Amino acid sequence: MTTSTLRRAALATIGALAFACAAPSALAQDIKERNLKFAFSLAKDHPLGQGAQKFADLVAQKSGGKIKVTLFANAVLGSDTQNLSAVRGGTLDFASMATGLLAGIDKQFMVFDFPFLFDSPQEAYGLADGPLGTKLQAGLAAHGIVGLGIWDLGFRNMTNSKRPIARHEDLQGLKLRVIASPIYLDMFNTLGANPVPMTFGEVYGALESKAIDGQDNPVGVIESAKFAEVQKYLSLTRHVYTGMPVLMSKKTWDGMSEAERKLITDAANEAKQEERRIAQAKEAESITNLRKTMQVNEVAPAELARLRQKVQPVVDKFAKEVGEPLMTQVNAELARMRGGK
């Protein structure tokens, strides 16, 4: 090999090395120092709080420490409704809340709250991560929101201070706190209860003062919110599955580079899987813990069938509201997951 050939090869190698070194540097320049806020109503030790911490850790790691996400648990920045408004307005970067609360800006989100729609968490995940969930989250952009995935709150169960709920007649006259969503109001009215819309942060105090008799939530929430201190009975009805969309302000998103958007999206996807894993593991543990301080009862399959039958008119009513095309897609995706059974 001639001297000139060697020189050219050496220069080519140096050039390649320089490019390789410059590429991460260019990428790093696309990531700015940012302090972002993530607010939610649940406790920091709840699976959703743990998932949010995982998200914050991943964002810090992927950004080389440049982007810091600070968590605000226990509704310290305001109620879910206030957080939703703040995310849309760009004064809050991230929030997470039940799908039912998004029905106020897009009624199609009500479909996730249909009573007895899902047989398992895996079916809910499949719908949330599949074509329908992706389409609904994409539609949030028109409302100033970027959807970063739907996390797992779990199947809702009922607690109260009066009596075990073993059949729908046991709900008669009970004053129960519900999410401020039309489907929840109709469902509990149909079951003979007296539903009271209330923000989550107010529930413990209302239960303690006996302003309300009970409420419904997944067992992980019941445990982390310490409702066992002010409630005697837990009835495992599993009547509604609740997903928790993670929402990002579109104003924050629009101000980011492609590199920043990718790391946020990747971190949210990784954290979602971790949060779901924690949530499922926690459910059985929470029931065991709650049995120590509450009277816990299962509801017989025949009585669950009666509950399902009783609320079918509510499902039919809201199926018309969300529209036939959406319901057709929901039923098709669920049928596919169930193997056409």
Side-chain angles (χ1 to χ4, degrees):
M1 191 177 286
T2 64
T3 304
S4 61
T5 304
L6 284 169
R7 187 181 294 116
R8 282 198 299 274
L11 287 171
T13 302
I14 291 166
L17 285 169
F19 177 80
C21 292
S25 174
L27 186 64
Q29 287 171 7
D30 285 342
I31 299 171
K32 295 179 180 174
E33 298 273 353
R34 296 180 186 273
N35 289 298
L36 306 177
K37 294 178 290 186
F38 188 160
F40 47 93
S41 290
L42 297 164
K44 205 168 180 181
D45 64 354
H46 181 274
L48 186 124
Q50 294 180 55
Q53 185 61 59
K54 178 72 172 178
F55 173 69
D57 293 343
L58 286 167
V59 169
Q61 175 193 321
K62 293 174 184 291
S63 67
K66 284 189 168 185
I67 302 178
K68 181 183 179 186
V69 177
T70 303
L71 307 184
F72 296 88
N74 295 308
V76 293
L77 294 188
S79 67
D80 287 331
T81 306
Q82 289 169 321
N83 287 342
L84 179 59
S85 178
V87 164
R88 296 180 71 184
T91 57
L92 177 63
D93 305 294
F94 304 100
S96 183
M97 62 200 64
T99 44
L101 293 167
L102 289 181
I105 59 173
D106 182 351
K107 65 183 179 183
Q108 292 183 104
F109 272 94
M110 283 193 297
V111 76
F112 285 99
D113 293 328
F114 281 13
F116 303 104
L117 179 66
F118 301 112
D119 293 336
S120 68
Q122 287 70 30
E123 288 186 0
Y125 301 163
L127 201 69
D129 297 344
L132 181 130
T134 302
K135 180 175 76 176
L136 289 186
Q137 289 180 83
L140 291 172
H143 304 283
I145 298 167
V146 175
L148 293 176
I150 297 176
W151 292 11
D152 182 13
L153 195 66
F155 282 96
R156 304 180 83 88
N157 302 282
M158 300 183 198
T159 72
N160 79 97
S161 57
K162 300 279 190 183
R163 54 185 173 266
I165 295 163
R167 51 196 193 129
H168 79 72
E169 287 86 354
D170 295 325
L171 284 158
Q172 301 302 306
L174 285 181
K175 194 178 286 188
L176 299 178
R177 175 267 176 176
V178 298
I179 288 176
S181 166
I183 197 164
Y184 280 87
L185 289 163
D186 273 24
M187 175 172 58
F188 281 103
N189 272 321
T190 299
L191 291 171
N194 180 10
V196 182
M198 186 181 293
T199 64
F200 183 76
E202 299 174 285
V203 178
Y204 185 98
L207 293 170
E208 187 176 34
S209 69
K210 300 288 196 289
I212 53 174
D213 299 315
Q215 57 84 52
D216 78 318
N217 257 302
V219 288
V221 177
I222 292 165
E223 184 186 14
S224 68
K226 303 191 185 328
F227 288 158
E229 296 175 351
V230 288
Q231 295 277 267
K232 185 174 180 180
Y233 303 100
L234 165 60
S235 303
L236 300 174
T237 49
R238 295 172 69 83
H239 51 283
V240 170
Y241 173 84
T242 299
M244 294 287 283
V246 172
L247 313 172
M248 182 176 181
S249 171
K250 193 169 182 295
K251 286 189 177 179
T252 305
W253 175 267
D254 288 346
M256 287 186 162
S257 66
E258 284 302 318
E260 289 172 321
R261 291 176 185 175
K262 184 178 188 308
L263 77 84
I264 291 288
T265 304
D266 289 349
N269 285 333
E270 287 181 49
K272 176 180 69 179
Q273 301 305 328
E274 177 71 359
E275 190 274 344
R276 287 174 174 177
R277 183 191 67 75
I278 295 168
Q280 286 198 49
K282 183 68 177 167
E283 184 175 48
E285 182 189 323
S286 293
I287 292 173
T288 299
N289 292 340
L290 290 166
R291 284 187 190 277
K292 297 171 187 174
T293 52
M294 301 182 80
Q295 289 188 31
V296 181
N297 71 286
E298 303 277 351
V299 180
E303 291 301 330
L304 283 176
R306 287 184 71 219
L307 280 169
R308 187 191 294 257
Q309 186 178 19
K310 187 78 175 171
V311 298
Q312 188 59 46
V314 178
V315 174
D316 294 341
K317 173 186 171 180
F318 286 97
K320 288 176 185 170
E321 284 206 25
V322 299
E324 189 178 331
L326 185 77
M327 287 311 302
T328 300
Q329 187 175 355
V330 168
N331 292 328
E333 289 191 30
L334 287 174
R336 180 180 51 77
M337 284 185 263
R338 294 166 183 167
K341 289 183 283 187

